[in-house]
Amino acid sequence: MRRLKAIISYDGTQFSGYQVQPGERTVQAEIERVLAIMHKGEKIKVTASGRTDARVHATGQTLHFDSPLAIPVDKYMKALNVQLPRDIRVMSIEEVADDFHARYSVTGKRYRYIWSCESVQSPFRRQYTVETNGVKPNVEAMQEAAKAIIGTHDFSCFCAANTSVKDKVRTVTTLQFEWCGEELHMVIEGNGFLYNMVRIIAGTLWEVGIGRRDIENVELVVKSMNRDKAGKTAPPQGLYLEKVFY
Amino acid sequence: MRRLKAIISYDGTQFSGYQVQPGERTVQAEIERVLAIMHKGEKIKVTASGRTDARVHATGQTLHFDSPLAIPVDKYMKALNVQLPRDIRVMSIEEVADDFHARYSVTGKRYRYIWSCESVQSPFRRQYTVETNGVKPNVEAMQEAAKAIIGTHDFSCFCAANTSVKDKVRTVTTLQFEWCGEELHMVIEGNGFLYNMVRIIAGTLWEVGIGRRDIENVELVVKSMNRDKAGKTAPPQGLYLEKVFY
């Protein structure tokens, strides 16, 4: 038996999220289905760094699982990719120490959020970005407002109401906007993220960018620790889990 | 009544091609359905520069149709885009002379064909490129072999057998390979293309790129005027109709 760490990429469009849910197509269920085939029906439990919601994408989701198969890791990866549906790909796989844990060993995560600001959104980007109907936000204002978010705070204001997590103090280390052609990317890194946190931050800063919320207001939102003071939860298809740090 | 010229982009993944076919989801049927709504049920016939096959994409397909509606063209475009499914977008629309014909007035077309040559194909590119399983072809050889195709030839060798077109002489003016990261693009321009011509050229030059066919062989293929001498028809999802010239 050995512990394997896998980095996977998935197009979230046709999944009801990462985590297994009865009757739904999920990323975890697909991977466990394929592992069971490779292990002659034996159930191999997969642990991820965390969940992602329906339609949310990942380019660097990270998993661990324990396997008795002694095949080399590159062949292991190929065997998985041959059986997996094409909207999930294993990008790398390596053997790790037995105490590595995809969820508990996490030291940080990086997410990306993408808006497409062309006057007409490319049909090829409809599932991978959020359309703004040609609206180009004031990115300097968004970047300025982001200063109130960077750092260590109780982020209750950016946490979906239906969560059981008690401690909502997290540290955001990076929150950066960059244009990539006519697409606006928000890159955010931190030691951990609450449920819907990135999408609520994206939605709140977007409102700053289009002049619907003052830059100064964002600091008040953070201090309020009140979800209702923040902006709307931005749509799922703009969000990517890009990297998990250990 | 006025004649309108529209440039449209579509993600071909979920279409059974451009042209109307009973019982199938097609690009033309979607556009004519929306135009009928805009014209209170009146059927407005749409004419395109040509067909595209199932799963083939377009970034610059061009259409014309005649409409009695006197609304400004930018509002016309917005009205169409509001009603159209999101995998079809009207990118521009303009009023043209009555003798403009989207098919008969064509003077040339540009297509693009894309292979993704990463060791593991991104799940986000599975419907938009052709996977090579990490194989990186010899592009210099492909470019050299392309010289036998550029120019005016009877292209019977690159035409699907089931075609009714008699005159198979066409002129290819540009056939260029370029890397875009780990994706290989083939850009081809000419005054007209036979059925499956771009995909058969892509399939044939690919064989040169991976050493399965000699550079010199391509000239013999062209001279043979025999479809069976050429390579396989490359898969549809790598192909884009990029621009129609008038």
Side-chain angles (χ1 to χ4, degrees):
Chain A
M1 190 70 82
R2 58 179 173 166
R3 182 152 290 193
L4 295 170
K5 173 189 175 190
I7 297 177
I8 64 168
S9 181
Y10 48 85
D11 174 347
T13 308
Q14 287 162 19
F15 290 106
S16 303
Y18 171 78
Q19 195 175 49
V20 164
Q21 293 177 63
E24 301 285 341
R25 184 171 189 260
T26 67
V27 176
Q28 185 187 358
E30 287 294 328
I31 293 169
E32 291 185 345
R33 180 182 62 75
V34 168
L35 283 171
I37 294 169
M38 284 174 64
H39 293 80
K40 304 187 165 141
E42 189 188 344
K43 157 110 183 162
I44 304 290
K45 191 185 147 45
V46 167
T47 302
S49 70
R51 318 173 191 183
T52 55
D53 279 344
R55 294 173 71 201
V56 171
H57 312 292
T59 52
Q61 171 69 291
T62 307
L63 322 166
H64 86 255
F65 55 92
D66 295 322
S67 169
L69 292 183
I71 51 176
V73 287
D74 57 331
K75 289 199 174 145
Y76 209 113
M77 180 170 118
K78 278 183 188 161
L80 278 166
N81 279 334
V82 164
Q83 302 257 17
L84 281 168
R86 304 210 71 92
D87 46 359
I88 306 176
R89 291 290 90 182
V90 180
M91 307 309 284
S92 73
I93 197 162
E94 61 176 312
E95 197 168 340
V96 287
D98 286 349
D99 63 350
F100 173 84
H101 192 284
R103 184 161 165 220
Y104 300 138
S105 308
V106 172
T107 59
K109 286 185 180 176
R110 181 164 71 224
Y111 287 91
R112 186 174 293 264
Y113 198 91
I114 312 181
W115 293 269
S116 55
C117 305
E118 304 96 338
S119 55
V120 180
Q121 186 192 37
S122 161
F124 302 99
R125 300 296 286 159
R126 72 193 188 284
Q127 295 161 331
Y128 307 116
T129 63
V130 169
E131 177 177 40
T132 71
N133 291 305
V135 173
K136 289 189 174 53
N138 178 345
V139 175
E140 290 68 33
M142 296 168 86
Q143 192 67 64
E144 183 65 25
K147 287 183 184 168
I149 298 171
I150 296 168
T152 303
H153 304 279
D154 180 309
F155 282 113
S156 296
C157 64
F158 296 138
C159 179
N162 54 337
T163 184
S164 58
V165 176
K166 290 282 173 291
D167 179 8
K168 291 175 181 160
V169 175
R170 298 289 184 278
T171 301
V172 170
T173 49
T174 301
L175 178 36
Q176 191 73 39
F177 290 89
E178 51 195 46
W179 284 103
C180 185
E182 292 193 272
E183 293 187 352
L184 178 63
H185 292 224
M186 179 183 90
V187 179
I188 186 166
E189 241 176 75
N191 69 347
F193 290 88
L194 303 164
Y195 186 50
N196 275 355
M197 180 165 156
V198 180
R199 287 167 57 191
I200 301 172
I201 289 175
T204 304
L205 292 178
W206 177 258
E207 291 174 8
V208 173
I210 60 171
R212 250 191 236 154
R213 184 184 292 269
D214 291 339
I215 294 173
E216 299 73 29
N217 175 265
V218 176
E219 191 179 346
L220 302 178
V221 170
V222 174
K223 286 187 175 154
S224 76
M225 298 193 283
N226 180 351
R227 166 69 187 91
D228 295 337
K229 300 290 185 194
K232 285 190 190 155
T233 305
Q237 74 272 16
L239 183 62
Y240 296 75
L241 171 55
E242 189 166 282
K243 193 168 169 63
V244 183
F245 299 96
Y246 292 97
Chain B
M1 191 68 85
R2 58 179 174 166
R3 183 153 287 193
L4 295 169
K5 172 189 175 188
I7 297 176
I8 66 168
S9 181
Y10 49 85
D11 174 346
T13 308
Q14 287 163 18
F15 291 106
S16 302
Y18 172 79
Q19 195 175 49
V20 165
Q21 292 178 63
E24 301 285 343
R25 185 172 186 258
T26 67
V27 177
Q28 184 187 357
E30 287 294 328
I31 294 169
E32 291 186 344
R33 180 182 63 75
V34 169
L35 283 171
I37 294 168
M38 285 174 64
H39 292 81
K40 305 187 165 140
E42 189 189 343
K43 158 110 182 162
I44 304 290
K45 190 186 150 41
V46 166
T47 302
S49 70
R51 316 172 191 184
T52 55
D53 279 343
R55 296 173 69 201
V56 170
H57 312 292
T59 52
Q61 172 67 292
T62 308
L63 323 165
H64 86 256
F65 55 92
D66 296 321
S67 169
L69 292 182
I71 51 176
V73 287
D74 57 330
K75 290 199 173 145
Y76 209 113
M77 181 171 115
K78 279 184 187 160
L80 278 166
N81 279 333
V82 164
Q83 303 258 14
L84 280 168
R86 304 209 70 91
D87 47 358
I88 307 175
R89 291 289 92 180
V90 180
M91 307 309 283
S92 73
I93 196 162
E94 61 176 311
E95 197 169 339
V96 288
D98 287 349
D99 64 350
F100 174 85
H101 192 284
R103 184 162 167 221
Y104 299 139
S105 307
V106 172
T107 57
K109 286 183 180 176
R110 181 164 72 223
Y111 286 90
R112 185 173 295 261
Y113 197 91
I114 312 181
W115 293 268
S116 56
C117 305
E118 304 95 339
S119 55
V120 181
Q121 186 191 39
S122 162
F124 303 99
R125 300 295 286 160
R126 71 194 188 284
Q127 295 161 332
Y128 307 116
T129 62
V130 169
E131 178 178 39
T132 70
N133 291 305
V135 173
K136 288 189 176 53
N138 178 346
V139 176
E140 290 67 34
M142 295 168 86
Q143 192 68 62
E144 183 65 24
K147 287 184 184 168
I149 298 171
I150 296 168
T152 303
H153 303 280
D154 180 310
F155 282 113
S156 297
C157 63
F158 295 138
C159 180
N162 55 339
T163 183
S164 58
V165 176
K166 290 284 173 288
D167 178 10
K168 291 175 181 162
V169 176
R170 298 288 184 279
T171 301
V172 171
T173 49
T174 301
L175 208 182
Q176 191 72 39
F177 289 89
E178 51 195 46
W179 285 102
C180 184
E182 291 193 273
E183 293 187 352
L184 178 63
H185 291 224
M186 178 184 90
V187 180
I188 186 166
E189 241 176 73
N191 68 347
F193 291 88
L194 302 165
Y195 186 50
N196 276 353
M197 179 165 158
V198 179
R199 287 168 56 191
I200 302 171
I201 289 174
T204 303
L205 293 178
W206 178 259
E207 291 174 7
V208 172
I210 60 172
R212 248 191 239 153
R213 183 184 292 270
D214 291 339
I215 294 173
E216 300 72 29
N217 175 265
V218 176
E219 190 179 346
L220 303 178
V221 170
V222 174
K223 285 187 175 154
S224 76
M225 297 193 284
N226 180 350
R227 167 67 187 92
D228 296 337
K229 300 290 184 194
K232 283 189 191 156
T233 305
Q237 73 273 19
L239 183 61
Y240 296 73
L241 171 55
E242 190 166 279
K243 193 168 168 61
V244 184
F245 299 96
Y246 292 98

